[in-house]
Amino acid sequence: MNGNCHFVFGAALGSAFAMNTDKLEKILPNLTDSPETATLFVLGGLIGGIFPDIDNPVSHIGKLTVPLSTVIGKFGEMSGKTGPKHRGVLHEPIVYISGLILSYIFCPSLVGLFLGCISHLYLDMFTPAGIPFFSKRRLRLAKIKSGSQQSINFTWLNVIIVVMLGIMISISSSYNS
């Protein structure tokens, strides 16, 4: 998927979580029900949605951070994490799952960022390149070409589903109170 798709879907996921900080606080006590937490979910989703592409100097975020993206890309190559364009070390699910757990424990304000990164990987699983999975294997669920109309439709379908789920969860607990 292209940067716009990642950006929009990350924002949608962050917004769905932001709508439900009161419920999250009940099951995940390190997260507080506050406007700050909600804002960090949305911003984290936006930034995290595009962050994994920072290792590719020709991606949207890579162009904005060329010296850094080049260095990260070279580090990935030295680590043996090469792949179609930028599907290297920053597309490894374990990086973000570990980051999500550690951020929840030690720095809850970063949880939204890691959720945004995971949203990025989710969309990339549906591209022909897929995502690296345990180094050598690739996890690919479809072959939707990045930038195609199909990728845009797929992204918007996922945005609608995530936002609707967020709204439904938010509303359902209001009726149960």
Side-chain angles (χ1 to χ4, degrees):
M1 305 298 155
N2 67 19
N4 294 333
C5 291
H6 289 302
F7 196 74
V8 168
F9 186 61
L13 186 65
S15 297
F17 275 84
M19 285 185 252
N20 293 289
T21 55
D22 56 331
K23 288 137 212 87
L24 290 169
E25 182 182 44
K26 291 175 184 171
I27 55 175
L28 300 168
N30 280 4
L31 299 175
T32 57
D33 178 21
S34 69
E36 293 82 11
T37 300
T39 301
L40 287 170
F41 272 121
V42 176
L43 288 175
L46 286 167
I47 295 167
I50 60 171
F51 180 79
D53 284 345
I54 200 168
D55 61 351
N56 178 9
V58 298
S59 69
H60 289 314
I61 192 168
K63 288 176 186 174
L64 295 173
T65 60
V66 167
L68 179 61
S69 64
T70 303
V71 169
I72 293 170
K74 294 292 181 195
F75 173 73
E77 289 174 14
M78 291 186 314
S79 305
K81 298 297 281 171
T82 58
K85 294 195 178 183
H86 58 273
R87 302 291 164 85
V89 69
L90 292 181
H91 277 72
E92 204 39 89
I94 194 70
V95 169
Y96 301 109
I97 293 168
S98 300
L100 181 62
I101 293 166
L102 291 172
S103 68
Y104 171 73
I105 295 168
F106 298 110
C107 188
S109 59
L110 292 177
V111 167
L113 177 73
F114 286 100
L115 286 172
C117 293
I118 290 169
S119 78
H120 182 105
L121 300 185
Y122 168 77
L123 288 181
D124 278 357
M125 286 191 305
F126 293 90
T127 64
I131 60 170
F133 193 66
F134 293 114
S135 297
K136 301 285 181 200
R137 297 184 195 158
R138 293 247 165 222
L139 181 57
R140 179 182 65 216
L141 302 177
K143 293 183 178 181
I144 299 172
K145 188 176 186 298
S146 180
S148 68
Q149 187 61 49
Q150 186 181 17
S151 73
I152 295 167
N153 294 343
F154 180 76
T155 300
W156 280 106
L157 174 65
N158 279 278
V159 165
I160 291 167
I161 291 169
V162 164
V163 171
M164 292 303 295
L165 282 172
I167 291 169
M168 288 173 19
I169 291 167
S170 181
I171 290 172
S172 71
S173 66
S174 299
Y175 288 122
N176 294 334
S177 299

